[in-house]
Amino acid sequence: MVRFATGRHKAIAKALTLLLPGAPYADIEAIRFEASQRRMADLPPSIAVWLTTLAHVRHQHTEYDALMDEGYDRDAARFFVLDDVNEVLTTWRATRLLDADESE
């Protein structure tokens, strides 16, 4: 089956390339998949990619879920993994980092 890229898919791919030029392929594909979901359709592609990237990094590359399991609330857990998220983004040569005051 041949799958043709829509304008939205192309915009998501471009946003991923601009935001995360050094991210591993497996992470890029997971982020691309989530950013393409219907629940993200009302957001501009760059915002969908950014929010999906943050969620992916938080859940796959930090202790966020363990903190939540230990009883920390969402905001506290996010505070404690902020530096870890930015470390991953820096490793991936991201063109944007998460600001402590940024609301998602």
Side-chain angles (χ1 to χ4, degrees), residues 43-100:
L43 298 172
S46 61
I47 301 298
V49 165
W50 175 243
L51 294 176
T52 302
T53 296
L54 293 179
H56 177 78
V57 170
R58 188 180 296 121
H59 290 284
Q60 300 301 317
H61 298 279
T62 73
E63 297 296 318
Y64 176 80
D65 291 324
L67 291 170
M68 295 292 290
D69 290 344
E70 290 176 17
Y72 286 86
D73 69 28
R74 184 185 72 154
D75 291 336
R78 288 180 177 191
F79 172 79
F80 287 118
V81 301
L82 175 71
D83 290 338
D84 296 330
V85 169
N86 282 333
E87 184 176 323
V88 171
L89 293 174
T90 299
T91 301
W92 292 353
R93 298 189 335 260
T95 56
R96 180 179 179 185
L97 297 178
L98 182 59
D99 185 302

